[in-house]
Amino acid sequence: MALFNLVNKTYKDTVEQSDLYIFGIHADEGLSAAFSEKHPNVSKQISMAMDKGEFKAKLNQAMLMYTPDCETASRYLVLGLGEAEGFTSDHLRQVTATAAQKAHGVKAGSVIVEFMGEDKLEAEESQALVEGLVMGGYRFLEYQKQDDEYAGIQNVTVLSNADLAAELEYGLQVSAGVVLARDLGNHPSNVATPTYLAETAERIAKDGDMKITVFEREDFEKLGFGGIQGVAQGSDVPPKFIILEYNGGGADAKTLGLVGKGLTFDSGGISIKPAGGMDEMKFDMLGGAAVLGIMSAVAQIKPKLNIIAVVPSTENMSGGKAYKPGDILTAYNGKTIEILNTDAEGRLILADGLSYITKHYKLDGLVDFATLTGAVIVALGHRYSAVMTNDQSFADELMDVGEKSQDRLWQLPLDEEYAEDIKSKIADVKNTGAAREAGTIAAGAFLHEFVAEGTPWCHVDIAGTGWLKKGRPYQPEGPTGSGVRLILELIKSWE
Ligand code: BES
Ligand code: ZN
Ligand code: ZN
């Protein structure tokens, strides 16, 4: 998917006329002599604003200016970068996101971007610069007629003397993965059905030369997918169990496993959810969306390793055929599950996903993503996803790339003792933990039962980070695409 045209020019090149010239200054550095020389009028205006204390170059502060003497753009947007010391690439991601929103405000289709002076922009920052522009400028307009033809930023020229083309392109590929995950999360459940997710996966497979297998409702009984079969039986919408196999590294390379909860609508089933806010449960497929977003970026980036991705996908509905509290289901690994609450359905479809992937593939690491528990929002809010693991060094590695990508994780314990909470009197396990106690960990302890021994595994609960009610610079309200940048960073470090 082409997000926008991106070119990297040096300061000596001729640059085409743009709608907006975007640049940033540090609070403690002010304007550079080189900039002031090239843009005298704008520089005078900025100095005036700074002298009056109205523009302090605080992080994410923005000031739009019009000047008659500019040869490359009709408007300038100056952004505050805050103090130079301690400035990170995530700060830059926020700042360019702010810039993208301001660009929309003036309907700028083409922009010139200059940051950090002539040759100071580094690889990691270039990636972040593009991610901020795309993620901050993200809008979802499919279902609303627009009053004007403005189609967002179409052309971006990045000024730097260093050759950053590869890094900028990489930033664009990562961002496209995030955009796909967000789009899937925004589409309502009558559009983004399991079939829609399977079709999306098929497109990704074609683009990225991957193998795709999709199991249908009729296959579930034959294969022993009792978890997804049980959850899906209350819905007329056909469920899908989607498997993508990417072989980019051959037999000697590492293999990463990914599993994502693709629950396209969670009504709670017979243990029905309250009416208020139920509309938001279209986002219960964000784990699956993250996995598909990652795989779509993988199709472009073509990393030299192997990746297996599994997305079990269904609705969770009530009705005459629906599964009920008290029912016992048998998951793919043969373990029996007593259902105490049909709203704890995500773990049931993941049980099949995790047992399938760990039975059939030798994985060097396995990560599952799921909007699994409301409890994780109570514990961590919307900033960190919760991670639980059976392998501390793998979790440490994942938390590290979480810091690097700023797609952050916070660990919760998964000691054996928690397995007590999911013991059933009649089956091997039950699908709920102790009432009002450590709900996120109980879900993790449940999933642990379905990960075959010997696979380093992390469970990531994105119920808090996947969807925001209140936006942030590069995460507008709605789906964030959390998990996508995290795993792409892990993949980069594994190559
Ligand atoms: N999809 C929900 C989790 C969820 C809740 C995500 C709120 C985002 C916001 C999940 O299927 C669910 O309903 N979990 C229950 C589990 C409980 C019944 C043990 C929950 O968290 O209440
Ligand atoms: Zn539920
Ligand atoms: Zn759910």
Side-chain angles (χ1 to χ4, degrees):
M1 178 181 34
L3 297 167
F4 46 59
N5 299 318
L6 186 59
V7 290
N8 181 198
K9 296 231 168 160
T10 71
Y11 284 77
K12 289 198 201 74
D13 295 333
T14 2
V15 174
E16 272 176 45
Q17 184 77 20
S18 280
D19 298 327
L20 186 65
Y21 194 110
I22 299 169
F23 67 106
I25 52 179
H26 281 295
D28 48 346
E29 287 181 349
L31 286 163
S32 72
F35 185 90
S36 303
E37 199 178 305
K38 262 195 236 145
H39 312 263
N41 273 345
V42 138
S43 298
K44 272 182 221 145
Q45 289 188 46
I46 294 169
S47 300
M48 280 174 75
M50 290 188 97
D51 288 346
K52 288 189 191 308
E54 286 162 27
F55 183 75
K56 297 196 169 93
K58 277 196 203 149
L59 187 67
N60 289 320
Q61 197 182 356
M63 182 168 66
L64 188 65
M65 287 172 300
Y66 296 82
T67 169
D69 73 342
C70 177
E71 67 295 359
T72 45
S74 45
R75 306 174 190 86
Y76 281 87
L77 180 67
V78 54
L79 291 146
L81 302 178
E83 301 289 320
E85 199 179 308
F87 186 76
T88 64
S89 52
D90 193 63
H91 290 143
L92 186 59
R93 196 181 281 118
Q94 294 178 31
V95 166
T96 58
T98 307
Q101 285 152 21
K102 298 283 174 194
H104 284 180
V106 294
K107 299 191 177 21
S110 55
V111 299
I112 298 168
V113 186
E114 170 184 350
F115 279 99
M116 323 296 285
E118 303 217 344
D119 45 19
K120 285 204 209 137
L121 202 59
E122 287 171 2
E124 197 179 303
E125 290 165 343
S126 321
Q127 181 190 336
L129 181 154
V130 177
E131 289 173 1
L133 281 177
V134 177
M135 289 164 58
Y138 176 81
R139 301 176 301 168
F140 186 75
L141 306 170
E142 297 240 345
Y143 300 98
Q144 266 173 343
K145 202 171 160 320
Q146 297 306 300
D147 295 339
D148 60 55
E149 305 274 276
Y150 178 60
I153 298 172
Q154 300 293 306
N155 293 294
V156 176
T157 303
V158 177
L159 282 182
S160 169
N161 284 339
D163 180 7
L164 300 169
E167 285 81 5
L168 295 170
E169 179 62 22
Y170 180 77
L172 215 46
Q173 290 164 334
V174 172
S175 307
V178 171
V179 165
L180 176 71
R182 287 184 183 179
D183 283 349
L184 291 172
N186 267 317
H187 279 299
S189 73
N190 61 333
V191 173
T193 57
T195 301
Y196 187 93
L197 296 191
E199 284 166 1
T200 304
E202 260 158 41
R203 223 171 318 120
I204 294 168
K206 214 157 147 220
D207 284 356
D209 202 14
M210 302 175 194
K211 184 180 168 205
I212 179 164
T213 311
V214 180
F215 293 131
E216 313 282 338
R217 199 194 293 274
E218 301 71 55
D219 303 317
F220 294 166
E221 191 165 352
K222 203 168 58 219
L223 296 169
F225 287 141
I228 188 169
Q229 181 186 36
V231 176
Q233 75 195 32
S235 172
D236 286 339
V237 169
K240 306 276 172 184
F241 188 99
I242 306 160
I243 306 152
L244 280 172
E245 294 173 70
Y246 167 78
N247 193 324
D252 297 334
K254 278 185 163 185
T255 302
L256 173 67
L258 299 170
V259 176
K261 173 179 174 183
L263 214 291
T264 56
F265 186 72
D266 184 9
S267 72
I270 297 294
S271 315
I272 197 163
K273 285 182 181 296
M278 203 199 270
D279 56 294
E280 282 192 349
M281 278 303 133
K282 68 172 183 175
F283 80 48
D284 211 14
M285 33 57 73
L286 285 173
V291 168
L292 293 178
I294 294 161
M295 295 310 275
S296 75
V298 162
Q300 305 304 319
I301 297 166
K302 301 187 177 32
K304 291 186 183 54
L305 50 80
N306 307 317
I307 308 173
I308 314 298
V310 168
V311 179
S313 182
T314 176
E315 290 184 338
N316 182 25
M317 301 293 278
S318 51
K321 289 194 233 140
Y323 79 135
K324 304 172 292 296
D327 286 1
I328 295 177
L329 308 178
T330 306
Y332 188 71
N333 71 349
K335 286 196 183 172
T336 54
I337 309 165
E338 180 190 12
I339 304 306
L340 288 181
N341 189 319
T342 63
D343 197 12
E345 83 301 334
R347 61 198 77 184
L348 304 173
I349 69 171
L350 291 172
D352 285 340
L354 293 168
S355 14
Y356 181 85
I357 200 169
T358 55
K359 176 171 179 194
H360 295 284
Y361 301 92
K362 170 96 195 67
L363 304 172
D364 297 284
L366 167 63
V367 186
D368 77 73
F369 289 97
T371 47
L372 205 59
T373 64
V376 79
I377 308 175
V378 178
L380 296 176
H382 297 277
R383 298 185 187 274
Y384 283 78
S385 306
V387 62
M388 283 140 274
T389 191
N390 63 355
D391 183 311
Q392 192 54 45
S393 68
F394 185 43
D396 287 341
E397 190 182 354
L398 203 62
M399 285 188 281
D400 277 351
V401 292
E403 283 306 310
K404 194 135 196 277
S405 60
Q406 285 292 293
D407 198 347
R408 294 172 296 177
L409 305 175
W410 198 261
Q411 188 174 3
L412 297 179
L414 201 61
D415 306 38
E416 268 309 307
E417 294 158 57
Y418 287 104
E420 295 293 322
D421 295 357
I422 50 152
K423 285 221 168 100
S424 161
K425 292 199 179 85
I426 183 173
D428 294 330
V429 285
K430 60 184 169 83
N431 78 332
T432 57
R436 287 177 299 282
E437 280 180 34
T440 303
I441 301 175
F446 179 92
L447 296 182
H448 193 189
E449 300 285 331
F450 301 91
V451 176
E453 198 89 16
T455 307
W457 159 74
C458 284
H459 158 54
V460 182
D461 194 331
I462 58 168
T465 55
W467 180 273
L468 301 182
K469 278 201 162 71
K470 191 165 157 279
R472 295 197 280 260
Y474 58 81
Q475 294 178 324
E477 62 177 64
T480 60
S482 75
V484 175
R485 287 184 303 117
L486 174 80
I487 293 299
L488 293 173
E489 193 68 45
L490 180 74
I491 289 172
K492 206 204 282 181
S493 73
W494 269 25
E495 265 194 283

